[in-house]
Amino acid sequence: MIHIVIDLEMNPIVRSMKEVRKFIIDEVIEFGAVKLDENYQPIDDFQCYVKPQFCEINKHITKLTGITNEMVADKKNFAEEFKNFFAWIGTWDMMLYSWSPSDIKQLRSECSYKLPEFDSERMEQQWIDIQKEFDDKIGLHSNLALKHAVGAMNRNFEGTQHTALADAANTAAILTLMQDDEAFQKTMQPVIDLLKPKEELSHSIGDLYPELMNFKCD
């Protein structure tokens, strides 16, 4: 079995397109993914931009991701690039992972609308939310942003945030560490200790790691 860690960058569909928004709210404009072998070691990666069908990329998304309308003007549409992505995976003998539920929800809705012949239900059954697994493993009851999870591992974030391949690669590093309970415990013990009830500590996690309190999904 192989393991596929995916990240998507998306562009919202304008509210005036009410009929389309009944089915999809956003469109994928970038795929990024890392393929891991059965031992959770990286063996390949995938990246492509996607030309949105309904709306130009808005200024906020360009500022966040660096993706411009010029960058996607000559790119393929979602259906074509998703087929290329799944051909790159090459097998159903896989598990699919992402940081938070947003990516799999996007794939489900956009595949259903633009590629209805694809078995998106089967894909969803083979998907795992790494954010939830990570939060549960360290005893956290809030959603930790990817950059803070990487920081908690005492790692520098590799690449640029909100670029699909960089986000996928950093999520893959977390997934790999999580497979070794001893290494994970050793790496995360300072954070796990800080998550104990306040009466057991002289300082709260907010006192010592204020940046970790800025919880929000990525």
Side-chain angles (χ1 to χ4, degrees):
M1 176 181 287
I2 60 173
H3 306 274
I4 306 297
V5 182
I6 185 172
D7 184 82
L8 307 173
E9 300 302 331
M10 294 166 273
N11 185 61
I13 295 172
V14 294
R15 294 185 180 275
S16 61
M17 304 193 72
K18 295 180 181 179
E19 289 304 310
V20 175
R21 284 173 59 90
K22 289 178 181 179
F23 303 97
I24 52 174
I25 304 298
D26 303 284
E27 292 184 281
V28 172
I29 56 173
E30 185 184 14
F31 281 92
V34 175
K35 183 183 293 185
L36 310 176
D37 64 17
E38 65 275 8
N39 297 313
Y40 294 88
Q41 297 304 306
I43 54 176
D44 201 4
D45 59 49
F46 178 94
Q47 186 278 337
C48 71
Y49 295 113
V50 181
K51 183 177 182 178
Q53 180 178 342
F54 297 108
C55 301
E56 290 192 342
I57 299 172
N58 70 39
K59 293 180 180 179
H60 170 72
I61 297 300
T62 293
K63 184 176 180 180
L64 183 69
T65 67
I67 303 172
T68 66
N69 287 298
E70 290 74 20
M71 290 169 63
V72 302
D74 61 346
K75 304 306 180 186
K76 298 176 182 177
N77 62 30
F78 174 85
E80 292 177 286
E81 288 298 6
F82 182 81
K83 289 177 182 178
N84 290 338
F85 168 64
F86 217 79
W88 171 77
I89 294 175
T91 178
W92 276 103
D93 187 22
M94 59 88 176
M95 291 300 297
L96 185 66
Y97 308 80
S98 63
W99 190 264
S100 90
S102 60
D103 290 331
I104 191 62
K105 289 179 179 179
Q106 179 63 31
L107 288 182
R108 179 183 61 204
S109 62
E110 201 160 355
C111 281
S112 296
Y113 188 70
K114 297 180 178 179
L115 201 63
E117 68 272 18
F118 179 75
D119 192 351
S120 56
E121 182 176 339
R122 180 179 181 184
M123 176 181 62
E124 189 169 4
Q125 291 172 351
Q126 294 178 228
W127 169 83
I128 292 175
D129 179 357
I130 290 299
Q131 183 184 52
K132 183 179 186 304
E133 296 278 320
F134 180 89
D135 291 346
D136 288 349
K137 202 172 180 69
I138 66 173
L140 188 64
H141 301 294
S142 300
N143 293 327
L144 192 62
L146 176 59
K147 65 179 180 180
H148 295 315
V150 173
M153 293 166 55
N154 199 28
R155 290 172 57 101
N156 292 323
F157 193 96
E158 296 184 11
T160 303
Q161 294 177 55
H162 302 297
T163 57
L165 185 55
D167 285 357
N170 284 280
T171 303
I174 294 172
L175 175 62
T176 298
L177 179 64
M178 289 174 62
Q179 306 314 305
D180 186 332
D181 287 338
E182 183 177 349
F184 184 86
Q185 188 76 16
K186 181 178 180 181
T187 300
M188 298 303 301
Q189 194 60 53
V191 175
I192 294 172
D193 289 342
L194 289 171
L195 290 169
K196 292 177 180 178
K198 285 187 178 182
E199 59 268 21
E200 296 182 18
L201 302 166
S202 59
H203 299 281
S204 73
I205 186 171
D207 296 329
L208 297 179
Y209 283 82
E211 72 278 6
L212 294 185
M213 302 308 294
N214 297 321
F215 299 132
K216 62 180 180 178
C217 295
D218 268 1

